Amino acid sequence: MPGTRKSKKSGRKGRHRHAAGSASERCRDVNVVKDDILPQEVPEVPKDKEEDFGNTENLPYVIRVSDVMGRYLVASRDLRPGELIMTVDPLVVGPPQGCQPLCLGCYKKLDLEENAYRCEGCGWPQCCLGCPGKGTEYGHSEAECRLYQSVRPKLLGADTSALTPLYLAVVPLRCLLLQSDPDRWRTLLSMEAHNDIRRKLPVIWRNNQENVVDRIRKEWGMTQYEEDIIHTICGILEVNAFEVGQDDLSIRALYPSAFYMAHDCVPNTAHTDDQHFQLRVRATTKIHKGTSIYLSYAYTLQGTMKRRDHLKESKFFDCACARCSDATELGTYAGALKCPQCTTGVVISTRPLDRDASWRCNNDTCTGYTIPASSVRLLMDKIGDEVEALDESSIPALEAFLRRYQNVLHPNHYHCLGVQHSLCQLYGKTPGFLINDMTEEQLRHKRDICRQLLKVVDVLEPGYSRLRGMLLYELHAPLMILTTRGVEAHTISYRDLRSRLKEVAACLEESSIILSFEPKTSHEGMMGIAAKEALIRVREWQRIITDS
């Protein structure tokens, strides 16, 4: 679903761990459901060992090892929200899978009909003669250029359609070039590749064989690289790569240390990257000493069925975290349907960790409406295709979608959340709906959408998460305009005015703190600066009112 920024997901290891605390401890408002639709129990994880993987003295984390999870990070001391956990430079950076032609130096997207410039050394498309990324470690290095010189005629003769699949081999070759640096190569090979699992998945294995292994060895004649090691590199990238990039760049990268972080569908960290691809990981909530440090490998606003399918297909494991084990998704009902046979029940999985388990209404007075999981999956795919086809800049189209499915999807269903997220960003910024031109009804609607989203995000991405920071900023605008209009119309009391300004200031204060961790030139970073400036104005108004 459209948003201001793609969700940055770690393509990380297939390790997971049951989240600390039960579902009820995570969310106090979990609704009561039938006995046979209760969260499923997860086998207790055996006590893990702490092992020495280098100098971790004075770091806020230690590395632990278990037979179930492999290596993962736990806090070595209590960590506060916003505290920096690690800053790490990448091992390798490069184009994402399925990209269109781009410059291998600076990753700028290229239109080969308008820009026919090619690297003089190897023939790969390049943005210009003076590309700032040419000859750099994380761009088009000299070693890489020399490697491609033997296939220069093939690259020069390739048009857009022929070049596009060639980019799939770029990052694997960059990984193979790390063999010249034993320490970095050793770090790379310490990452999980899941070759044993991937060999049993014909589509994935064959795709890598044809587009990467055969291209490198047969088409390009680089037989110095063994087939098995190329497949291993492909697996390492699939399992461990982060999606990063600033200024509309979309690239993937591998990071030492960061790949140890385990997965949970309710993460307790967030990460950012800068223009030099340096990754920063921060705590979003308080993390107690000895607690696992999590990130999410899946989009948190998707439902359990969608998330678990993604994690199984792309990360090769079955998630059994507290959220996935709870049919209500910690009381958010982010994947629930409305029951067509009663007016109050919701339809949820009877066993959420079983992808084939039937779904049933959780209302005790209902006649027992059930639906096969396969039918739910088909319905979600159909609605998902409809969401993808929506005009993401059209408020009427998005609102029409919500009306069309209001009797089918729970209000917090992930398809609804995605549309609502887009609406909260469009209201106030789209022609015809600019913030100062909106009616009071429209302003209250934007306010209510933001509040509803925050209720869900407070459970699924709690604390200092990027999404919470942006929603808080979006919420402050209708609150402020409604307050200003109330003052001008003399319809709110002095006491109400103070209360409203206090709420606006609280939104802006937390938003400015959260978004201050973002790169200053990013959309989120600039929003954080705007929040800080707006907070100064609101506090001045509060001071004037107090003094008057």
Side-chain angles (χ1 to χ4, degrees), residues 316-336:
F316 316 113
F317 73 96
D318 294 305
C319 185
C321 70
R323 179 182 172 189
C324 286
S325 303
D326 179 6
T328 73
E329 301 204 36
L330 309 183
T332 64
Y333 293 92

Side-chain angles (χ1 to χ4, degrees), residues 274-316:
D274 60 22
Q275 292 178 333
H276 303 291
F277 315 115
Q278 189 177 69
L279 192 76
R280 289 179 174 83
V281 179
R282 294 182 183 273
T284 52
T285 63
K286 185 174 182 179
I287 304 176
H288 294 285
K289 180 179 179 179
T291 300
S292 291
I293 297 173
Y294 296 119
L295 51 72
S296 178
Y297 310 167
Y299 185 38
T300 54
L301 293 192
Q302 287 181 333
T304 293
M305 175 180 280
K306 188 74 172 178
R307 290 193 322 279
R308 295 189 84 239
D309 283 351
H310 163 75
L311 292 168
K312 183 66 172 179
E313 293 167 6
S314 62
K315 307 305 171 194
F316 316 113

Side-chain angles (χ1 to χ4, degrees), residues 197-262:
I197 298 175
R198 293 168 52 254
R199 280 194 182 95
K200 299 175 184 177
L201 302 172
V203 174
I204 291 176
W205 196 264
R206 185 171 59 251
N207 179 64
N208 287 329
Q209 183 71 45
E210 295 173 355
N211 290 299
V212 182
V213 178
D214 289 347
R215 176 152 291 125
I216 290 174
R217 287 177 52 80
K218 296 180 180 180
E219 184 178 337
W220 291 346
M222 301 177 186
T223 55
Q224 67 269 37
Y225 301 119
E226 297 294 332
E227 184 169 315
D228 287 348
I229 193 63
I230 299 175
H231 270 297
T232 296
I233 294 298
C234 290
I236 287 172
L237 287 166
E238 289 167 5
V239 176
N240 299 280
F242 282 69
E243 182 184 343
V244 298
Q246 295 294 319
D247 301 326
D248 294 325
L249 296 181
S250 179
I251 53 183
R252 56 178 173 163
L254 292 172
Y255 292 90
S257 301
F259 77 93
Y260 289 128
M261 285 190 291

Side-chain angles (χ1 to χ4, degrees), residues 51-317:
E51 295 194 10
D52 182 12
F53 286 93
N55 182 20
T56 58
E57 187 178 356
N58 298 323
L59 292 178
Y61 59 84
V62 294
I63 302 169
R64 285 188 179 168
V65 183
S66 79
D67 294 336
V68 175
M69 296 172 56
R71 293 162 296 176
Y72 64 100
L73 302 185
V74 299
S76 61
R77 61 173 185 267
D78 287 348
L79 303 177
R80 64 185 184 279
E83 185 169 352
L84 185 65
I85 296 174
M86 68 174 69
T87 301
V88 58
D89 293 318
L91 280 174
V92 67
V93 172
Q97 290 183 307
C99 71
Q100 292 298 307
L102 50 73
C103 176
L104 293 188
C106 64
Y107 307 107
K108 178 182 178 181
K109 295 177 182 177
L110 300 177
D111 184 338
L112 299 186
E113 293 184 1
E114 295 181 2
N115 183 352
Y117 187 81
R118 300 296 186 102
C119 173
E120 295 177 345
C122 66
W124 272 103
Q126 192 170 306
C127 62
C128 62
L129 178 63
C131 173
K134 186 173 182 180
T136 63
E137 181 181 9
Y138 300 130
H140 187 41
S141 67
E142 293 181 2
E144 178 180 64
C145 190
R146 286 194 301 270
L147 189 63
Y148 286 121
Q149 284 175 3
S150 62
V151 296
R152 187 172 188 272
K154 295 181 180 180
L155 294 172
L156 287 173
D159 59 13
T160 298
S161 60
L163 270 171
T164 299
L166 304 186
Y167 283 93
L168 292 170
V170 170
V171 182
L173 271 174
R174 289 185 176 182
C175 290
L176 291 167
L177 285 171
L178 292 179
Q179 292 179 76
S180 62
D181 186 330
D183 289 339
R184 299 176 76 193
W185 179 247
R186 192 178 304 111
T187 299
L188 179 73
L189 293 185
S190 69
M191 299 182 183
E192 183 61 74
H194 286 308
N195 283 347
D196 54 337
I197 298 175
R198 293 168 52 254
R199 280 194 182 95
K200 299 175 184 177
L201 302 172
V203 174
I204 291 176
W205 196 264
R206 185 171 59 251
N207 179 64
N208 287 329
Q209 183 71 45
E210 295 173 355
N211 290 299
V212 182
V213 178
D214 289 347
R215 176 152 291 125
I216 290 174
R217 287 177 52 80
K218 296 180 180 180
E219 184 178 337
W220 291 346
M222 301 177 186
T223 55
Q224 67 269 37
Y225 301 119
E226 297 294 332
E227 184 169 315
D228 287 348
I229 193 63
I230 299 175
H231 270 297
T232 296
I233 294 298
C234 290
I236 287 172
L237 287 166
E238 289 167 5
V239 176
N240 299 280
F242 282 69
E243 182 184 343
V244 298
Q246 295 294 319
D247 301 326
D248 294 325
L249 296 181
S250 179
I251 53 183
R252 56 178 173 163
L254 292 172
Y255 292 90
S257 301
F259 77 93
Y260 289 128
M261 285 190 291
H263 163 82
D264 193 276
C265 290
V266 181
N268 56 16
T269 67
H271 55 276
T272 59
D273 59 275
D274 60 22
Q275 292 178 333
H276 303 291
F277 315 115
Q278 189 177 69
L279 192 76
R280 289 179 174 83
V281 179
R282 294 182 183 273
T284 52
T285 63
K286 185 174 182 179
I287 304 176
H288 294 285
K289 180 179 179 179
T291 300
S292 291
I293 297 173
Y294 296 119
L295 51 72
S296 178
Y297 310 167
Y299 185 38
T300 54
L301 293 192
Q302 287 181 333
T304 293
M305 175 180 280
K306 188 74 172 178
R307 290 193 322 279
R308 295 189 84 239
D309 283 351
H310 163 75
L311 292 168
K312 183 66 172 179
E313 293 167 6
S314 62
K315 307 305 171 194
F316 316 113
F317 73 96

